[in-house]
Structure formats: structure tokens, C-alpha cells
Amino acid sequence: MPISQFVLKVHSRCDLACDHCYVYQHADQNWRRMPVAMSAESADWAGRRIAEHAVAHGLHEVCVILHGGEPLLLGTPRARALLETLRTRLRAVPAVDLRIVTNGVRLNKDWCELFAEYGVMVGVSLDGDQPANDRHRRFRNGNSSYAHVNRALRLLQEPRFRHLYAGILCTIDIANDPEAVYDGLVAQAPPRLDLLLPHATWHNPPARPPRPGGETGQ
């Protein structure tokens, strides 16, 4: 079957230390041996292969999502080179939907202007109001990331950048107040809201609401 959505991990490190992260905080630590950033050669080959696949299957549109780690750690010069490579290699595809998923900490006007130039939609991770977000999404020194993300979201709500605002990704924690979480998300006026379940396995199941009598369900 043809594939129309591609996720490129362009930077394998992160500037936050979210304790619910399924990459850095769990058993598989292979990321430590991976390259820090996608090379120009890898980006070129990725663009080539995606274009070949799209043409072979007659796809009118493909979606390419830049991911991490934290993709903004790539820096604007390397990000520009990557986007130019993708634009060049994917010119045979009639429509290319470019997106990026970021924690928002480093998002500023320079980044937004770059994304506006290349038509990159921006999705931001936020877990709700400040108490909910601060439960997990902190810097390594324990400081809150909320003010940084809030500033990034305000920037995306400005008229000149509003068209870049793809939405918010929120990881659910049942320990948080659901109404406060929802109100905190709605206050950011996202065009789309994705609610994500935290990573879980049979050996480490997700938390359950307490059962009557005070016992925690499994």
C-alpha cells in the first residue's frame, strides 16, 4: 500500500526532560548511540526516496513531518538547508504538506518567518494548564517550561503567523484536573487538539482511576 505520511527525526536530542517521554525515560536507550542530527546526505536521500515512492504510486500529496527529540535544536541554518533539500527533491509531487512537531521552547519570530517562507505548519506539545504541564514537562534542572511554550503559542496566534498554527498535542495524565486541562488548552485557541495516551506496556500498564474503596485499578 502507498504511504503518504513520512516522519523524519531530524534531531535526536531534546532540551526538556519530560518524565513521560517514551524515548529518553524508558528502557530502550539506543538513542544515545544515534547521530545527534540528520546529515545533509540523509536528508537528500530521504527526499529522493519519498519522491520516488510518490511518483511510483501516483500520489497527489505527501505529508512530511519533522520530528525529534526536539527538531528546533537543529538550528535555523541547518533547518533552512533541510527544507530547501526537501522542496527540491519533492518538486515532482503536486502537493507537499510540510509540518514540524516541537515543544515550543525555542520557537521565536526567526523560526516562524522561516516556516512561513517554506509553508511549514507547526504543532506544539502542551499538557494543559500550568500545573498539568509542569507535572511532567520540565527542564533537566526541574524548572517549568510553561512560560516558554505559552510565549510560543502566543506568537503562533499573531495574525501574520496564525496560518502556521497546526494545533496542540497533549499527553493525558488522569492525576490532572480534566476541566483545568481542557480550559488551559482552549485558552490557546488551537485549530486542532490531539489528546495522546502516555506510553504503557503490559509490564508497566497505564494508571487507572481508583476503584470504590480506594484501591487503584489495573
Side-chain angles (χ1 to χ4, degrees), residues 93-175:
V93 183
V96 179
D97 180 5
L98 292 174
R99 295 176 179 258
I100 192 166
V101 177
T102 174
N103 60 33
V105 168
R106 294 171 181 264
L107 190 67
N108 56 27
K109 290 184 179 179
D110 289 342
W111 276 110
C112 287
E113 288 169 357
L114 176 65
F115 295 149
E117 181 180 347
Y118 285 89
V120 181
M121 300 287 289
V122 183
V124 178
S125 297
L126 180 74
D127 288 352
D129 59 336
Q130 183 165 0
N133 196 69
D134 285 351
R135 185 181 294 275
H136 300 290
R137 304 186 61 81
R138 291 179 173 269
F139 290 98
R140 288 183 178 83
N141 62 6
N143 288 344
S144 167
S145 66
Y146 184 82
H148 297 76
V149 185
N150 186 63
R151 183 172 61 247
L153 290 168
R154 295 301 178 203
L155 185 60
L156 288 173
Q157 292 174 55
E158 291 184 6
R160 62 174 171 156
F161 297 132
R162 177 72 190 186
H163 66 289
L164 303 175
Y165 193 4
I168 291 177
L169 294 85
C170 170
T171 300
I172 296 299
D173 186 330
I174 63 171

Side-chain angles (χ1 to χ4, degrees), residues 18-29:
C18 308
D19 60 16
H20 57 16
C21 180
Y22 68 89
V23 176
Y24 306 108
Q25 303 299 329
H26 286 275
D28 187 351
Q29 293 292 295

Side-chain angles (χ1 to χ4, degrees), residues 11-93:
H11 202 283
S12 66
R13 303 297 189 268
C14 191
D15 45 5
L16 292 183
C18 308
D19 60 16
H20 57 16
C21 180
Y22 68 89
V23 176
Y24 306 108
Q25 303 299 329
H26 286 275
D28 187 351
Q29 293 292 295
N30 282 326
W31 63 269
R32 297 180 183 275
R33 298 190 291 273
M34 300 295 181
V36 172
M38 176 179 281
S39 68
E41 182 181 12
S42 294
D44 186 67
W45 274 108
R48 288 173 183 260
R49 293 298 191 183
I50 293 171
E52 289 172 2
H53 179 82
V55 171
H57 291 278
L59 298 179
H60 175 77
E61 180 179 13
V62 295
C63 177
V64 179
I65 304 171
L66 307 184
H67 217 285
E70 171 47 48
L72 298 192
L73 286 173
L74 196 63
T76 52
R78 283 190 294 178
R80 175 181 292 278
L82 171 66
L83 291 169
E84 186 62 32
T85 294
L86 292 175
R87 171 186 280 180
T88 300
R89 293 303 180 195
L90 297 173
R91 61 182 177 270
V93 183

